[in-house]
Amino acid sequence: MTKAFMDENFLLETETARTLYHAYAKAMPIIDYHCHIDPAEIMENRRFDNITQAWLGGDHYKWRILRGNGVDERYITGDASDREKFQKFSEALPRCIGNPMYHWCHLELKTYFGYDGTLNADTAQAVWELCNEKLKTLRVRDIIAQSNVAAIGTTDDPADTLVWHERLAADPDFQTKVIPSYRPDKAINIQKETFLPYVEKLSAAAGVKINGLDAMKRALTQTVEKFVAHGCKASDHGLDYIPFRPAPDEDVDTILKKALAGIEITLEEAESYQTAILLHLGEAYYDHNIVMQLHYGALRNANTAMYQKLGADTGFDCTQDTCSTAGIVGLLDALNQKGKLPKTVLYSLNPNDNAQLATLIGCFQGTEIKGKLQHGSGWWFNDTKSGMIAQLTNLANLGILGNFIGMLTDSRSFLSYTRHEYFRRVLCNLLGGWIENGEYPADLPFVGSMVQDICYNNANTYFFG
């Protein structure tokens, strides 16, 4: 018998899975410890004029769907009306069978707008009208409250003033924690054209004239301390790959001075500089109890023409197969030998790295906390149903799934919190299947408490404990 589309037991194939989700997972708060939403929009409690602004604005996941359906860029990032853009997306979405975007969109429509139907070319006008009417009273803080979000980790540049975080922390009417995450990529990517202009910006923000390695370290240390004063609990590094090419400080100083003088440096020199900065920051994270997150495996801005037209983070990145095992091991081992290895979460955009990461974290666990080293959740192109199952299964096979810190949205949309629901359903279905298959005892109170740990408690302890 055909099941109803996305009913209350969506993705929950067994009675045990349904019990685990409805009795244990569903009501748990959310800690969205890595995302890209703008804290200013939370502080100002933005009201969206229409569903296109809330749904399609800045969401390159959805932009890729439109491009894949042959839609002209005018209806994606161009000057077409919001209604026209919504229509084009409504026409493309039904063709996305098997894509989690189809599920996410309908979860969002159901959760925030009370729409139980399906979105397509024929229903677009009715959905447009329904959502826009709801958005007259559904503002950003309402979405966060309705989603039961306890904490949000935004992604912030070291040179940021963090003024919006200050204002949110001082606002007695808003209870959700909004904490900055330290993202120093521009200070690390010495080989990129953005480096020199960024050094000037960082110098001004830190009040340090960056003219060599010591000054760069001082500037970064001061900005880390500024973030800590604003409640920072995590850093985030989005690297093409993880280098490890240690060199004496005097050599790295020479490399940095060459770059500051506009002299081209070699790949090996760039890696030595990056290694020195990652080691310096790793120690600072340990000293301040900041989680170090390392994301790698993305080949960014693959389409040069569109990058030149639209800039970065517009939907033209893909997975690459650069191996970072030796680099990660070198970095973690060097920090560990000094007794300065911080809590660390490792993510690769390439799912072929799942087993490698799940085994690697087992080499550097510590007694400070259960699961000090984490294999991060299915990220970006891997936050699909099959991608989540693969990540969870690899972690279970090769590590301790019960200590996992769970899901994040990695999103620029306030409507994306339903991705936590999607993850929780996948998790409960996976565990429920193992129990009903006789692979684990049917001790539902214990397994239910473990589900709650993965959904919320582990992350709460990991970042805030």
Side-chain angles (χ1 to χ4, degrees), residues 16 24 31 73 106 125 132 159-160 195 220 230 239 252 282 288 298 324 327 344 360 385 407 446:
T16 302
Y24 295 97
I31 293 181
E73 195 67 27
H106 286 94
Q125 181 61 32
N132 292 349
D160 197 306
F195 182 73
L220 291 172
H230 287 79
L239 300 165
V252 179
H288 293 288
S324 288
T344 301
L360 192 158
K385 176 185 173 183
M407 186 58 178
F446 179 80

Side-chain angles (χ1 to χ4, degrees), residues 33-34 181 234-238 285 291-295 343-347 405 408 463:
Y33 55 86
H34 173 67
S181 298
S235 68
D236 184 57
H237 295 262
Y285 301 152
V291 175
M292 179 168 68
Q293 296 184 96
L294 300 174
H295 293 84
K343 291 178 287 187
T344 301
V345 189
L346 302 172
Y347 312 79
I405 59 173
L408 50 83
F463 291 98

Side-chain angles (χ1 to χ4, degrees), residues 61-101:
Y61 279 82
K62 294 185 175 75
W63 294 351
R64 288 172 71 98
I65 296 297
L66 288 161
R67 292 177 186 132
N69 208 42
V71 175
D72 188 276
E73 195 67 27
R74 176 172 177 264
Y75 298 96
I76 305 170
T77 60
D79 61 0
S81 70
D82 286 348
R83 177 65 184 88
E84 290 174 308
K85 291 177 179 178
F86 183 73
Q87 184 66 35
K88 292 294 185 181
F89 185 74
S90 301
E91 294 169 2
L93 187 62
R95 304 190 70 81
C96 295
I97 185 170
N99 191 312
M101 182 61 67

Side-chain angles (χ1 to χ4, degrees), residues 376-431:
S377 68
W379 164 58
W380 201 347
F381 298 128
N382 297 320
D383 54 7
T384 63
K385 176 185 173 183
S386 59
M388 291 177 190
I389 292 171
Q391 187 271 343
L392 289 166
T393 303
N394 271 275
L395 181 55
N397 287 343
L398 302 168
I400 301 180
L401 181 58
N403 293 337
F404 180 42
I405 59 173
M407 186 58 178
L408 50 83
T409 64
D410 190 34
S411 177
R412 290 167 172 79
S413 170
F414 288 97
L415 298 176
S416 294
Y417 297 119
T418 53
R419 295 181 193 178
H420 284 266
E421 176 184 341
Y422 195 75
F423 166 81
R424 291 173 182 188
R425 288 176 179 270
V426 170
L427 170 68
C428 291
N429 192 60
L430 185 65
L431 301 188

Side-chain angles (χ1 to χ4, degrees), residues 189-207:
N189 291 329
I190 190 173
Q191 78 283 15
K192 297 190 177 182
E193 60 185 16
T194 54
F195 182 73
L196 283 177
Y198 181 72
V199 169
E200 294 182 11
K201 184 178 179 180
L202 181 61
S203 292

